[in-house]
Amino acid sequence: MTVTHDVGTRRSFAVMDGTTSMFRQLEKRVVAVEAAIAVIETDRAVNEEKRKFMEARFNQIDRRLDKIDGHISRLVWLIIAAILGGFMSFAMQGNILNV
């Protein structure tokens, strides 16, 4: 009876040892998955901050381009006004016929 009990005890230790080993492997896998998720979340947060920075930068560039567009528009109107003013001055002096 001692032998049977001893064999049964060995089997129960073998089963417990296999179960412990299985839990250790599962724990390693869970730790690896948690580490991968942490890396993914960090990358996502970094990319979100980069996107915010780029969006702010593009908004700033858009504002500058709008200002440049406004200045160019004013410059074109000034050139047109100068040409018309020169023509009107030339016409008012009466030099059109006396050239």
Side-chain angles (χ1 to χ4, degrees):
M1 202 159 230
T2 327
V3 176
T4 310
H5 186 276
D6 190 34
V7 171
T9 306
R10 284 184 194 165
R11 284 185 187 165
S12 65
F13 283 137
V15 169
M16 285 175 40
D17 189 39
T19 305
T20 305
S21 174
M22 182 180 69
F23 281 129
R24 285 183 187 147
Q25 289 176 353
L26 287 174
E27 185 176 352
K28 287 178 184 178
R29 290 178 67 188
V30 167
V31 168
V33 168
E34 287 173 345
I37 288 173
V39 168
I40 290 170
E41 287 178 348
T42 302
D43 286 344
R44 187 181 58 85
V46 167
N47 287 334
E48 181 68 22
E49 289 301 315
K50 284 181 181 178
R51 187 192 63 78
K52 286 179 184 177
F53 174 75
M54 292 299 291
E55 187 175 313
R57 185 79 174 151
F58 282 130
N59 287 340
Q60 184 181 20
I61 290 171
D62 284 343
R63 283 193 304 273
R64 287 182 178 176
L65 287 174
D66 288 341
K67 285 181 181 179
I68 290 171
D69 187 38
H71 292 309
I72 289 174
S73 177
R74 287 182 188 168
L75 184 62
V76 167
W77 279 108
L78 282 173
I79 291 171
I80 291 172
I83 291 172
L84 287 173
F87 178 73
M88 292 300 290
S89 175
F90 186 72
M92 293 300 243
Q93 289 177 1
N95 292 334
I96 296 176
L97 301 175
N98 297 332
V99 177

